[in-house]
Amino acid sequence: EPGKSAFAGYLKNSLLSPYDVPRKSLDGLKQFQEEFNRLAPYVAARPRIRGKVALLFSQPTVRQDPSVRSWKGQRWNVRDRVLNAYEAIHLSHYPTDVILEEHLREGRAEKYSAILVPGTEFAYQTTAPALQDFVRRGGTLIATGSAFLYDEYGKRLDDSILFGLSRSEFPEKQDDTLVLSSRKGLPKEISSDAAHSVQLKTARPLLSFRSGKCAVAENRIGKGRVYYVASENTSGAELIA
């Protein structure tokens, strides 16, 4: 078919490609999710303390993101970034759950005090408004790098209300150093990258890179706060700091 090879090549091995995944298989994924949700309270691994913090896991990002790709000269995937964030929270001794974007529409975010968003480059159009409501009621949102840049179809999202700023991605990798406060027990600086150039609107800067670019910004919405970290490459131990 005309255009088939180009389209299939762009979405090779992706669930979005109708040439790679039969329709029945896609229906099977939905059926499995429905069956698992009914049985989850009985078969999910190890009962544990109820989470106070949630880690957002994005199905649109997983579908759009190949297993491993090169970004700014580095090899990474969404799985690595989610595990990296989970390691940071776990080692900080916060009871942690994983929440899906679909759960936000069901109102499940309300039981958490904070939600961490690592590597969620693609998101449903309903996700940002749902998180705004979560923050407005007193929740805390922490997002990194390319969070919520595109919807599930790859179209640019307007996240300026959520983050209180606008972003533009640097064309080349920008190595930089995140300068921290001199609190006892914390490192004074962290080697990182500046993934995006940030133009503040309603947000205020909290931390800067050595180059002077904004590294961490805070935006207040209602009773809660949104923290945006303009970096993609930070290890678990550094996230804890």
Side-chain angles (χ1 to χ4, degrees), residues 170-189:
F170 290 119
E172 300 293 337
K173 180 176 180 292
Q174 302 279 323
D175 290 319
D176 214 325
T177 301
L178 179 61
V179 181
L180 302 177
S181 62
S182 57
R183 289 178 57 187
K184 185 177 180 181
L186 294 180
K188 293 183 179 180
E189 56 185 36

Side-chain angles (χ1 to χ4, degrees), residues 100-125:
L100 303 178
E101 288 186 63
E102 292 82 354
H103 293 159
L104 297 176
R105 297 196 293 264
E106 300 171 4
R108 299 195 196 182
E110 302 309 316
K111 60 183 179 181
Y112 301 109
S113 60
I115 295 177
L116 181 63
V117 184
T120 304
E121 186 174 0
F122 299 88
Y124 296 121
Q125 295 181 11

Side-chain angles (χ1 to χ4, degrees), residues 19-141:
Y19 303 106
D20 284 359
V21 183
R23 172 62 186 272
K24 290 183 178 180
S25 297
L26 296 177
D27 292 338
L29 292 174
K30 181 179 179 181
Q31 293 171 7
F32 171 79
Q33 182 183 33
E34 292 173 349
E35 293 177 5
F36 181 80
N37 286 342
R38 290 196 298 268
L39 298 173
Y42 308 101
V43 302
R46 68 182 188 282
R48 54 190 175 82
I49 300 173
R50 180 179 175 180
K52 297 180 180 179
V53 176
L55 188 67
L56 185 67
F57 187 78
S58 170
Q59 296 291 355
T61 299
V62 171
R63 289 194 291 266
Q64 289 276 11
D65 195 43
S67 58
V68 176
R69 69 177 177 179
S70 177
W71 180 87
K72 310 287 186 196
Q74 301 179 25
R75 293 175 65 81
W76 58 274
N77 61 18
V78 63
R79 175 179 175 274
D80 291 339
R81 290 191 287 175
V82 170
L83 290 176
N84 176 38
Y86 182 83
E87 173 194 8
I89 303 173
H90 179 69
L91 293 178
S92 297
H93 304 292
Y94 283 104
T96 308
D97 289 341
V98 174
I99 189 171
L100 303 178
E101 288 186 63
E102 292 82 354
H103 293 159
L104 297 176
R105 297 196 293 264
E106 300 171 4
R108 299 195 196 182
E110 302 309 316
K111 60 183 179 181
Y112 301 109
S113 60
I115 295 177
L116 181 63
V117 184
T120 304
E121 186 174 0
F122 299 88
Y124 296 121
Q125 295 181 11
T126 57
T127 296
L131 289 172
Q132 287 174 31
D133 291 339
F134 165 74
V135 174
R136 189 174 292 110
R137 294 187 179 96
T140 298
L141 179 69

